[in-house]
Each structure stands twice: as structure tokens, then as C-alpha cells.
Amino acid sequence: MSHILEIWGIATITGISCSLIGTFLVLRRLSMMVDAITHTVFLGIVLAFLVTKDLNSPWLIIGATAMGVGTVYAVEWMQQRRYIRPDAAIGIVFPFLFALAIVLVTLFGKHIHLDVDTAILGDLAFATFQRFTVDAYDLGPMLLWIAMLVCLINAVCIALFKKELILTTFDPVCAKVYQAMPMAVSYGLMTLTSLTTVSSFQTVGAILVTGCMIGPPATAFMLARSVKAMLFISMVVSTIATTIGVTLAFLWDVSIGGMIATVIGCIYGLVWIYKYGRNNG
Amino acid sequence: MELLQQYTFQIVALGTVMLGLVCGVIGTFAVLRQESLLGDGVAHSTLPGVVAGFLLTGVKDTTVLLLGAICTACLSEWIMHKTSQKGVRFDAALATILAAFFGFGTVLLTRVQSMENAGQAGLNTFIFGQAVTMMQSDIWVMAICGTCIVGGVIILWKELSLTVFDPIEAQLMGIPVSKVRFFYRAALVVTIVIGIRTVGVILISSLLIGPAMIGRQWTHSLRTLVIIAAISGSAVAFTGTFVSALWGNLPTGPIIIIVMTGMILLSLVLANGKRLVRRCVG
Amino acid sequence: MMSDSKCILKVDHLSVAYDDTVVLKDVSFQIEKGTMTAIVGPNGAGKSTLIKAVLGLVPLVEGTIDLTLDTKTVSAYGGAKSNSIYNHIAYVPQTSTVDWDYPITVFEVVLMGTYRRLGWFRRPGKRERDEATKALQTVGMLDYAERSISQLSGGQQQRVFLARALVEDQEVYLLDEPFKGIDKTTESVLVKIMKEMQSAGKTLLIVHHNLQTLEVYFDQVLCVNRRLVGMGPVRDIVGSHILDETYSY
């Protein structure tokens, strides 16, 4: 039983930190950038691993986070070229970086054990195996502590820079006039996004991070009238979805991350029907 | 150069070249309609269809899996279009639906893995594609689909280009916009589904966008753009296939994408140089 | 009218380029305190660019901008990254530049005007909220304070932007086409507010399109077409060859 509870805890906290960041990403129309980052952090992990030869090295997290920010930089560089639209730039950059990762794994993968399946899908069921112990005192699963730490970092950053985040997402030109350094704020946000993605990697898996990060805020966007409300609603949606998702996954013995993403999608659909369904007949 | 005479290589190269061509043609319209990432969403959404096809029939028959893929791809494409309106962010809707479909696919996949007759080839094949296993029957499927799509684009050229550029004007001129759009959407879904087998889910978006991006650097005319996209799409696909076969064990899909990105960067630089030269001379 | 003819904004040999296309070349002019100046010119003449250059949104290739305030003079130079000048200019962008689907209320938008003063980490308090309320009252939008911005009409959006600029309480205001796409009634309301600002000693530079209303609204006109074609009091410019020259390519 405590096994389920621990998994539920990890998933809920991950979901909350994803919603916090995701709200601003949805507002800035960067939803698909998350999809890109979730794929490219894999290259960061592979590269860091090839250098350190250690799957538990903290350099893996640093490398992956840096690669996430690098993706944003590459996409922005491409967007500034002639005749390249923002969405097209995203659609070129991330497959390229991901393809590089796959080629590297194929070339050097014989000596290493980097399971692509797990990286993409994650495996929440095994998330509780690695324990966090102090003096042989079991303080719960390691991932729970990591998730809480990331959640705390996100919450503190958003509390401190809420004003600037809203300003830069609503009116980037004015943010520049106000000397609020929209570029710095933007890259800060993307760094947090990468960090959150990397830490959620092992729990829900790369592609489903997109669902956890964008789904609840996208749902809240349809309902909320202020950013504060949007943050709140998306955290609630995320928690509900995680609870239902984890329960169903254990009941039917299926992928936990997958179930959570499915439930988020269903909630999104229901809210959409509630909000717009009538007008569309 | 013996490689060129090998039967397997010929099959694979033929398949990827056809795919590159069709992707170039259809992808151009997707990019112009600012739906570059729709392809990515649709591609991810094929997973539940593929797995459900396997779950229902219990056999790994290409036709069944393809049909399943088309079903869920169409469904998600329909939902994405339906939800994109004022008050909803298209990119957010796309990301949410993509993740939900893919998530549901993994849910089904875990069901398959827990079954006894686990005849599944693993998710790897699906996500990364496996051009090497292409067979003659696959080539036929691709050839038929490709001919239909390219032929359709040629026949409906006038209507399609106007619909993409200015749907309201097209409507006023009596063009059945919704029918033309239906053809385009169906063609996009079919292209993606047949493409997944070769380059996989994640990389297909590059194959759709890349050729159009290369073409756009060189021309302002839609006709020339589509032609350049088709040629560069197939050229890149052939080069990628050749390089990966040369090295033996390198996966075809990712190599094609890397070649594609190289070509894009090259044409960005060259086109920029061309502009500079023109400015200096003019 | 301009008894206190003190020069507040001095632009000297200003040139701006995007990539390597020169958009504005060698523009020099002086603006006196408490005036209302129209910037006119055909599409693509560099009107918005001029405003953005003064705001520091686009880098200057060459030239200087001096801003003389009561207590001090601040300058910006071409090539240098001097920012202090931009802290004293308020900007009202075109309404089309922001995202009107954003989940935010009218009051919160107006409150943004205080953010520059607050700087990092500080939150708006009671004083800032009072200022925002006052500004909303000035533009006649107090009843809409708690509305979501997505429900506003074009004219109301413009009024909200003006209120935000009012809250900033700067000496110089730059407005980019404030009368674009709004009806006559709203336009006269906006002009009335601007006139009030002017009599309170503020200096306004406004990108304007309607040549018919030049004489009614403005004191002087700045004619721009890639360069400064001419500048002077409204009655000297209107009907003169300078306007024709500005609008001929």
C-alpha cells in the first residue's frame, strides 16, 4: 500500500511543479517547445554519459538541462532566419538533436546500458526502488525528494518573479521598455523547464512530461480569468488527474505515466466540451 | 558501388526516396498553413492505433497495424482541428492531445507486454522506424499512396494553392474549400502513417518541414517551392539511406534527418550568400 | 503658447538599420517640453522605428539622443549600450502587439505601469493600486476594472494602454498609432485626455495617420520618410510642400 502512496506522492508533486512552469509556457505559446525539450534532453543525457561513463553522475542532469536550454537557443536562432516560422523551426531542431542521440547510442551503445524505451516512457512503477537514506534511516524514495526539491525551486522562482513573468508573457515589448530583461526572464523560465523535464524524466518519461506540463495549464487557460487562477486551477487539475491516473493504472496494471496523460487529455476534452461544445452544435 | 546493386538496398532506397518526395510535397502545404507541428502530433497519435490493432487481432500484420494507425491519427487530427479556435491555444491543444494519445498508447502497450503471447517487436521499431525491414509489399503500398497524393495535388493544384493562401477568397470563387481541405488533411495523415515505418514517430516532422524549408530559401513561387521540396526531400532521403548502408549498422531514419538538417543549414548559408552577391552586383 | 520653451528631447544625427538595410538616416530634431507632436509619413517610412530607437528597442547605428529633465540630462549614443535614458520615457504600443486572450484583468494591466518603478522583487502595494485606480478613472474605464481584457473593444483597449502609461508618470510619452481602428467618439475622448496630460506639462510624440485632424490635435508635425523631410508648427506644415514631399517616394 505504501508503495502506491509513494508513487502517488512522486507523481503529484511532479505534476504540481510541471503545472507551475507550464502555465507560463502555455501563456507564451511555447507548448511545443516543451515537446522539443523533452526529446532533446535525451541527447544531453547521452553526451554526459559518454563523458562520465556513469549513469548516476549529477553531470547527467546538468548536461540534460543545458541541452534543453541549448534547444531553445537553437530554435530562436533558426526563427531569426528568413522565411522560417517559429513552429517550423521547432519541428526541425528537435528531430535533429534526437537523431544525433540515437546515432550516438547506436555507435557506442554496445558498451553502455542506456535504455531508450525507459527514457522515452519512464517507469514510475520502479520509481520507489532507489531510497534516500540517512544513517540507514529510510526517508522515502529518492525521486520523491528530488521532485520536492524541484517543486520548491519552481515555486520560489515563480513567487519571486511573478511580476516579470506576467509582464514578459503578456507584453514583451513593454517588458523591454521597462528594463525587465525579457530575454533573461525567458531563458530563466526555459532553464526551469529543462530542469523540471529532466527530473520528471525518470518518473513519467519524456513524451508524457509534455502532457503533464501543458495539459493542466491548457485546461485552466479555458477557465481562468487571471494568472493566479490559472496557476491554481492547473494545480488542481493536475492533482485530480494524477490521483485518478495512478489509481486506474494500479487497478488495471498498466503504465502509470501513460494513464496520467490519458486522464489529463480526457479532462481537457471535457472542459472543452463544457466551454465550447454548445456553440459547435 | 556494389551497394547500389544490392536488392535490399534498392528496396529500402526506393521506399525512402518515395517517402521523401511525398513528404516534400505535402509538407510544403503544412508549413505554409502554419501547421508544421501538426505532423508531430498526428505521428505520436498513431501509437494507440497500432497497439490496438495488435491487441484486437493478435497478429502483427502490417495492414491491420496501418489501419489502426490511420484510425487514431484521423481521430486526433480531427480533435486538434476541432479544438483550435479563439480562447484555446492551438499549440497547447496540440501538445495536450499528442501526450494523451501517446499516453493511451503506452497504456495499451503495457497490456500487450503483460500478455502471454508477447509477439510484439517492442516500441523501438515504432518510435525510431525501421527502414531496413522494408519489403516489396511495403513499396507497393507506398507507391500507390504516393501516386494518389502527388496526383491529387497536381489535379487539385489551383484549388489547393488558393485554399492554402486565402481560404475566404477560395470560398467566394466557388471552390469547395472543405472538400479540398479534406483531401489535404487525409493526404497528410496517410503520408505520416506510411512515413512512421521508415523514420519513426519523432523524426517524421523533420521530413515534412525540412524540404519546404530548403525550398523556401530559393524561391518565392509556390509551384517551384513544391518542386524543389519534392526533389530535395527525395535527394536527402537517398543520401541518408546510402550513408547509413555504407556504415552498416547506423539507423536509416536518424541519418536521413541529420543529412536533412545539414542541407537546411547549407541552403540557409548559400541563399544568404546569393542575396549578398545580388546586392553587391545590383 | 510655448512660453516655457525648454528643449526636453534632442535627437542628433540619428541613423537606424535592420540587418544592413538603413531605415532611418541622419534624423535630427528637438522637442520642447509640454508639446504635442505628430509623427507623420507613408507606410514603411520608419515612424515606428523612430519611436523604437528613442525607446532603445532598436540599436542606434549612429547619433545621440539627449533627454533633459529638471534635475539632470541623460543621453544615449549610437553603438553604446547606455540605458539610463529609457527609464524616463513612457510608451503606448499599438494594441495589436499584445495578446488579448491573456487571462488578465484591466486593473492588472494598468498596474503594470508601476512595475518599472518597483524594479525586481517588490510587489505593488496600496499606493500603486490607488494610482492605477486613479488612472482608470481618468480614462473613464473604472467600471471595467475587474473585466477580463478579452472582452474589451478596440477603443477600450487603447484607453487601458493609455491608463497604464499614465500610471508610469513620466515626462515624455511616445504613442504608436493610438487612433488606429477606433471610432470618432473614443478618439475625441483620447484626445481630451492627451490634452490634459499636455497641460500638466507632459510631452507627447504620437505616430499619426489622419492628416485631416492634424491641425485640431497637434502643435507641431514631424515629417518622416526614411529621413526627416521637415518639421515645424502645424500651420506651417499643413498645406505646404513638405507634406507632399513626405508622401512622394
Side-chain angles (χ1 to χ4, degrees):
Chain A
M1 194 60 213
S2 80
H3 175 61
I4 302 183
L5 260 184
E6 278 175 358
I7 285 176
W8 176 81
I10 296 172
T12 311
I13 290 170
T14 307
I16 287 175
S17 47
C18 282
S19 315
L20 285 173
I21 293 294
T23 299
F24 292 99
L25 297 171
V26 167
L27 289 174
R28 284 211 68 182
R29 298 175 194 272
L30 285 172
S31 306
M32 288 309 279
M33 191 75 103
V34 178
D35 184 50
I37 287 180
T38 52
H39 289 97
T40 55
V41 287
F42 185 56
L43 176 62
I45 291 181
V46 171
L47 285 175
F49 177 78
L50 287 176
V51 174
T52 60
K53 310 272 181 205
D54 176 14
L55 257 184
N56 293 316
S57 158
W59 283 104
L60 261 58
I61 292 189
I62 296 169
T65 310
M67 189 53 74
V69 180
T71 310
V72 179
Y73 187 79
V75 168
E76 284 185 353
W77 181 84
M78 273 217 122
Q79 285 169 355
Q80 284 157 13
R81 302 306 107 192
R82 244 170 250 251
Y83 310 124
I84 295 183
R85 294 206 169 117
D87 56 340
I90 294 178
I92 286 297
V93 169
F94 88 84
F96 170 65
L97 296 175
F98 194 74
L100 271 184
I102 300 172
V103 170
L104 285 176
V105 169
T106 329
L107 282 177
F108 307 104
K110 287 187 190 101
H111 325 287
I112 61 178
H113 186 74
L114 252 181
D115 195 354
V116 182
D117 274 24
T118 327
I120 294 293
L121 296 177
D123 216 336
L124 203 46
F126 303 121
T128 55
F129 285 6
Q130 207 182 355
R131 313 297 296 186
F132 181 55
T133 48
V134 176
D135 288 344
Y137 220 48
D138 188 1
L139 292 174
M142 192 70 186
L143 282 176
L144 184 64
W145 287 95
I146 294 178
M148 286 203 286
L149 181 67
V150 172
C151 192
L152 188 71
I153 294 174
N154 287 350
V156 168
C157 287
I158 284 173
L160 282 180
F161 299 107
K162 191 174 166 233
K163 200 165 52 125
E164 283 77 17
L165 278 167
I166 294 178
L167 187 64
T168 35
T169 46
F170 173 65
D171 192 345
V173 179
C174 249
K176 210 171 168 191
V177 174
Y178 287 4
Q179 313 274 307
M181 299 202 276
M183 283 297 278
V185 172
S186 171
Y187 272 94
L189 180 65
M190 294 327 282
T191 312
L192 285 185
T193 309
S194 304
L195 184 70
T196 313
T197 307
V198 177
S199 69
S200 324
F201 215 71
Q202 283 172 289
T203 46
V204 278
I207 294 174
L208 304 179
V209 173
T210 312
C212 291
M213 224 177 239
I214 301 302
T219 313
F221 184 77
M222 292 190 274
L223 301 170
R225 276 183 44 201
S226 70
V227 176
K228 205 190 271 175
M230 195 171 152
L231 282 166
F232 181 73
I233 297 175
S234 55
M235 281 193 278
V236 171
V237 168
S238 161
T239 311
I240 294 173
T242 323
T243 313
I244 300 177
V246 171
T247 316
L248 288 180
F250 269 93
L251 217 57
W252 293 333
D253 189 24
V254 291
S255 155
I256 301 166
M259 206 65 226
I260 295 173
T262 314
V263 174
I264 290 175
C266 292
I267 296 178
Y268 178 83
L270 287 176
V271 170
W272 187 86
I273 291 169
Y274 160 74
K275 193 88 203 270
Y276 301 103
R278 273 160 297 175
N279 318 349
N280 278 39
Chain B
M1 287 301 109
E2 316 154 31
L3 189 63
L4 293 175
Q5 277 137 32
Q6 269 175 30
Y7 179 69
T8 16
F9 175 77
Q10 284 170 350
I11 290 284
V12 175
L14 195 60
T16 52
V17 166
M18 278 198 290
L19 181 69
L21 191 138
V22 178
C23 279
V25 173
I26 281 298
T28 306
F29 290 101
V31 170
L32 292 180
R33 279 179 55 86
Q34 309 204 24
E35 295 177 340
S36 302
L37 292 170
L38 190 80
D40 188 48
V42 171
H44 280 87
S45 310
T46 54
L47 180 62
V50 171
V51 186
F54 176 72
L55 268 178
L56 290 176
T57 58
V59 286
K60 238 193 84 193
D61 181 44
T62 317
T63 337
V64 175
L65 301 188
L66 273 183
L67 278 179
I70 287 191
C71 284
T72 46
C74 285
L75 182 64
S76 90
E77 204 266 0
W78 180 75
I79 297 176
M80 285 170 193
H81 266 282
K82 195 91 181 148
T83 49
S84 61
Q85 52 174 268
K86 196 177 149 42
V88 178
R89 305 239 152 156
F90 179 64
D91 61 336
L94 195 59
T96 312
I97 295 161
L98 176 161
F101 271 83
F102 195 80
F104 188 60
T106 60
V107 165
L108 290 178
L109 202 69
T110 37
R111 284 310 298 171
V112 173
Q113 276 157 353
S114 64
M115 276 171 20
E116 286 302 304
N117 67 332
Q120 24 88 17
L123 194 62
N124 261 325
T125 332
F126 178 76
I127 293 183
F128 308 129
Q130 215 167 33
V132 201
T133 58
M134 226 185 277
M135 287 177 302
Q136 209 173 356
S137 57
D138 298 320
I139 296 295
W140 278 115
V141 174
M142 280 178 137
I144 293 167
C145 293
T147 316
C148 288
I149 291 168
V150 176
V153 169
I154 293 170
I155 294 168
L156 293 173
W157 177 259
K158 207 160 64 306
E159 289 78 7
L160 201 55
S161 46
L162 191 59
T163 310
V164 168
F165 178 66
D166 188 352
I168 294 166
E169 174 67 21
Q171 195 125 41
L172 289 175
M173 286 171 76
I175 292 170
V177 170
S178 55
K179 279 182 193 150
V180 174
R181 210 175 266 167
F182 179 79
F183 162 75
Y184 152 75
R185 286 163 63 181
L188 186 66
V189 170
V190 170
T191 311
I192 290 166
V193 171
I194 56 175
I196 285 169
R197 213 180 124 61
T198 318
V199 290
V201 168
I202 294 162
L203 305 181
I204 186 82
S205 87
S206 178
L207 208 51
L208 281 169
I209 304 166
M213 209 185 256
I214 293 172
R216 190 66 188 86
Q217 300 299 322
W218 300 103
T219 178
H220 298 294
S221 129
L222 182 61
R223 190 186 301 267
T224 330
L225 176 58
V226 172
I227 293 171
I228 297 181
I231 294 171
S232 57
S234 36
V236 163
F238 181 79
T239 320
T241 317
F242 188 72
V243 169
S244 75
L246 215 56
W247 256 287
N249 62 346
L250 285 181
T252 317
I255 294 292
I256 293 178
I257 300 311
I258 290 173
V259 174
M260 174 77 78
T261 315
M263 280 290 291
I264 293 171
L265 292 178
L266 192 68
S267 50
L268 276 176
V269 172
L270 288 182
N272 210 18
K274 191 184 76 173
R275 262 193 294 274
L276 281 180
V277 169
R278 207 179 269 166
R279 193 173 297 152
C280 291
V281 173
Chain C
M1 192 171 165
M2 296 310 126
S3 55
D4 180 19
S5 63
K6 205 178 107 198
C7 165
I8 187 162
L9 185 72
K10 188 168 151 228
V11 172
D12 216 14
H13 300 292
L14 174 93
S15 293
V16 181
Y18 290 123
D19 292 331
D20 32 26
T21 320
V22 177
V23 185
L24 281 175
K25 198 168 162 57
D26 200 20
V27 174
S28 306
F29 60 87
Q30 293 188 8
I31 301 284
E32 281 159 10
K33 189 173 154 68
T35 51
M36 196 157 144
T37 310
I39 302 174
V40 297
N43 291 326
K47 301 185 296 290
S48 292
T49 308
L50 178 61
I51 279 196
K52 283 180 181 155
V54 175
L55 282 165
L57 291 174
V58 292
L60 315 179
V61 175
E62 41 178 28
T64 28
I65 304 171
D66 292 308
L67 187 69
T68 312
L69 302 168
D70 291 337
T71 47
K72 57 181 173 181
T73 299
V74 278
S75 310
Y77 307 96
K81 280 198 172 177
S82 165
N83 282 325
S84 55
I85 179 171
Y86 313 121
N87 281 329
H88 304 283
I89 302 174
Y91 176 48
V92 180
Q94 294 193 15
T95 43
S96 56
T97 57
V98 306
D99 176 5
W100 293 99
D101 278 341
Y102 204 92
I104 195 166
T105 62
V106 169
F107 188 76
E108 285 172 304
V109 174
V110 177
L111 204 54
M112 280 179 179
T114 63
Y115 283 7
R116 167 156 34 184
R117 216 176 318 149
L118 287 169
W120 300 89
F121 304 115
R122 272 171 60 208
R123 285 155 184 274
K126 190 178 178 305
R127 209 180 107 214
E128 282 76 22
R129 305 184 80 82
D130 288 345
E131 283 171 36
T133 312
K134 218 180 102 204
L136 272 174
Q137 201 159 22
T138 314
V139 300
M141 289 285 290
L142 197 56
D143 295 344
Y144 295 84
E146 290 310 314
R147 288 269 182 100
S148 164
I149 54 159
S150 56
Q151 298 165 340
L152 300 182
S153 70
Q156 290 169 334
Q157 292 176 350
Q158 197 56 256
R159 282 202 256 175
V160 171
F161 266 9
L162 196 60
R164 182 173 71 175
L166 280 177
V167 169
E168 281 205 59
D169 194 26
Q170 303 282 16
E171 287 300 315
V172 179
Y173 285 78
L174 302 184
L175 297 91
D176 201 347
E177 297 197 31
F179 305 123
K180 196 177 180 179
I182 61 172
D183 58 57
K184 271 268 168 268
T185 331
T186 320
E187 185 166 326
S188 56
V189 172
L190 289 176
V191 170
K192 197 168 148 270
I193 300 166
M194 289 170 193
K195 290 280 183 198
E196 278 165 17
M197 289 163 75
Q198 192 190 356
S199 42
K202 308 289 182 197
T203 311
L204 292 93
L205 266 88
I206 300 167
V207 174
H208 194 57
H209 259 306
N210 190 348
L211 298 180
Q212 263 77 48
T213 50
L214 271 182
E215 271 181 296
V216 195
Y217 296 166
F218 298 96
D219 305 321
Q220 51 185 1
V221 186
L222 202 65
C223 299
V224 181
N225 192 353
R226 305 248 155 183
R227 63 193 172 89
L228 186 70
V229 183
M231 188 196 171
V234 182
R235 51 188 174 282
D236 295 354
I237 298 286
V238 173
S240 75
H241 68 283
I242 294 178
L243 272 185
D244 299 330
E245 201 185 321
T246 311
Y247 283 88
S248 64
Y249 289 87

